[in-house]
Amino acid sequence: MKRFDCMKALAARLKDELVILSLGGSVDEWYNAAPHMREAGLFQQQLGCVTPQAFGLAAGLPHRRIVSLDTDGGLLFNLGILATLGNEQPKNLFVVVWDNECYQSIGGPPTHTATGRVDLAAIARGAGVEHAHIATTVEEFDALCAKGLSMEGPFIIVAKVAGTVQPDIKRKHSDGREDKYIFVRHVEATEGIVIMGPSEHN
Amino acid sequence: MKQSAVEAVIRGLKKAGVSIVCYLPDSLFKELYPALDADPDIRTIRVTNEGEGAAICGGVFLSGKRAALVMENSGLRAAVEPLARMGLGAGIPVVMLMSYRGELGENNWWAIPHGITMEPVLNALRIPYQVIREEEKIERAIADAYSWSYSAYYHSGVALGGEVVR
C-alpha cells in the first residue's frame, strides 16, 4: 500500500478540517495529494509532537475536526500521548499513523514496528483509545477514514504503508515559521478570531 | 504551598486569559493541582511527560486559546526538545510555571540536579524567566510572562521558589 494513494483518498474527504502533520518524506506527498488543504495544514518537525499538538488544537477548537498525520517513528517517540488520549477522549481528533516501519527521511533504518511484533493499534486500544485500527489496503484505509471522519473520536488508523516516496513530485519549500503564519492566519479567518494580533500603541 | 499562593497563581493565569493547563504533578505544587482541577474556568490536561505537555500547549496556542505548562523544574529538561523545535523552528510559544526544586534550602539529594540545571537550560534556550519568592509578585509575574510571549512568540517561564513553595 502506497502512502500517496492513501493520502489522495483521505484528501478527497477533507474540507474544513485542520491538519497537523509530520515532516519527512510525507510532507511533499501531502502537499501534492491535498493542495486544497495547504493553508489548513501545519508541518511539524519533531518526533513525538505531532499528535500532542493536534490534540492541543482539538482541545482549543472542540467544534472543529482536527486531523493528525503522525508516523510510526513519531508515535513511538512518545507513546504516552495514547494514554492521554485514552483518558481525555477528544471527540474531534482523527489520527492517521503512516507506519512504514522505518525512519524514511534519513534513508530508511528500521523502527521498532519493522520486526512485526509491535502493533501500534493494539497499543492504542490498550491505552484506552477504543477505535484504533490497522489498514493494509487503500480500500480498508478509505473505509476507515469514512467511519472515523463521521463519528465522534478519538479515532486512530495505523496505515501499513511502503517505505517509498512518490517520485517526481513538487517539493515544499517553506520553513516552519512561514508555515506557522500561513496556518494561524487560516485559523483566524475561518474561526473569526485573532491569534496573533496587532501590537499595542503605548 | 499556602492557599493564598495557590489563589495568586490562579488569579495570574486568569488575568493572562489562560483556559487550559497541562500538568505533570509534583510535590511542591501539590496544593495547586487540585485547585486547578476544581476551577470551572480552567480545563486541566494531565500528561505523561512534560515534553508532551509542551507540545499540547503549542497546539492550544494555534487554536487561539491560551495554555500553561505547570510542572516541577525537572520537567524543563524533559521538554527541551519540543521547546527548542517549536520555539526556535516555528515561533510557537509555551509559557511555563515551574516549582523551583534544588535551590538553596533544598533538603532532598535527588532534587539538587534540578536546581543546578534549571537556569542554565533556560539560558541555553534563551528563555526569559523570573524567579518569584514573594507571594505578592506571583500574579504580575504570570501576566507579564504572557504579555512577553504573545509579543515575542517565544517561550517564557516563571519559577516559584523560597517561601512560596516551602
Side-chain angles (χ1 to χ4, degrees), chain B:
Chain B
M1 266 180 107
K2 289 183 200 159
Q3 182 60 28
S4 52
V6 168
E7 289 167 4
V9 168
I10 292 177
R11 277 200 311 277
L13 292 173
K14 289 188 177 181
K15 192 173 182 181
V18 172
S19 60
I20 297 178
V21 171
C22 292
Y23 73 76
L24 196 146
D26 77 304
S27 53
L28 291 187
F29 281 171
K30 70 177 178 232
E31 295 86 0
L32 176 60
Y33 302 109
L36 289 167
D37 287 336
D39 194 292
D41 300 325
I42 292 174
R43 174 179 176 181
T44 52
I45 297 172
R46 301 178 201 201
V47 298
T48 62
N49 71 70
E50 295 86 347
E52 177 190 319
I56 294 171
C57 287
V60 173
F61 165 79
L62 296 169
S63 78
K65 300 281 192 340
R66 292 195 176 195
L69 177 59
V70 180
M71 60 192 181
E72 184 179 81
N73 56 352
S74 57
L76 175 67
R77 298 195 302 264
V80 161
E81 168 68 359
L83 286 173
R85 295 208 186 225
M86 281 194 298
L88 297 168
I92 295 173
V94 177
V95 180
M96 294 170 280
L97 180 67
M98 293 171 278
S99 62
Y100 199 157
R101 287 230 73 130
E103 65 176 338
L104 295 185
E106 179 61 59
N107 59 359
N108 282 298
W109 63 268
W110 50 262
I112 298 304
H114 312 348
I116 288 174
T117 56
M118 182 186 80
E119 294 189 59
V121 169
L122 287 166
N123 289 327
L125 290 168
R126 299 179 188 171
I127 295 174
Y129 63 93
Q130 288 197 71
V131 177
I132 300 295
R133 298 186 176 90
E134 296 163 80
E135 192 177 302
E136 60 272 19
K137 293 183 177 172
I138 292 174
E139 185 179 338
R140 173 72 187 260
I142 292 172
D144 283 353
Y146 281 87
S147 293
W148 190 88
S149 279
Y150 275 76
S151 295
Y153 300 113
Y154 196 61
H155 319 307
S156 61
V158 175
L160 300 185
E163 293 177 359
V164 170
V165 289
R166 287 186 187 83

Side-chain angles (χ1 to χ4, degrees), chain A residues 20 42 44-49 52-57 59-62 77-78 80-81 83-84 88 175-177 180-181 183-184 187 193-197, chain B residues 20 43-49 51-52 54-65 81-82 84-93 150 152-154:
Chain A
I20 303 287
L42 184 64
Q44 285 303 294
Q45 57 186 316
Q46 57 274 35
L47 290 175
C49 285
Q53 269 199 19
F55 169 51
L57 189 57
L61 296 172
F77 198 88
N78 174 26
I81 185 61
T84 302
E88 297 290 333
D175 67 6
R177 210 163 277 268
K180 181 201 68 170
Y181 280 97
F183 183 81
V184 163
V187 176
I193 58 174
V194 175
I195 300 171
M196 301 177 73
Chain B
I20 297 178
R43 174 179 176 181
T44 52
I45 297 172
R46 301 178 201 201
V47 298
T48 62
N49 71 70
E52 177 190 319
I56 294 171
C57 287
V60 173
F61 165 79
L62 296 169
S63 78
K65 300 281 192 340
E81 168 68 359
R85 295 208 186 225
M86 281 194 298
L88 297 168
I92 295 173
Y150 275 76
Y153 300 113
Y154 196 61

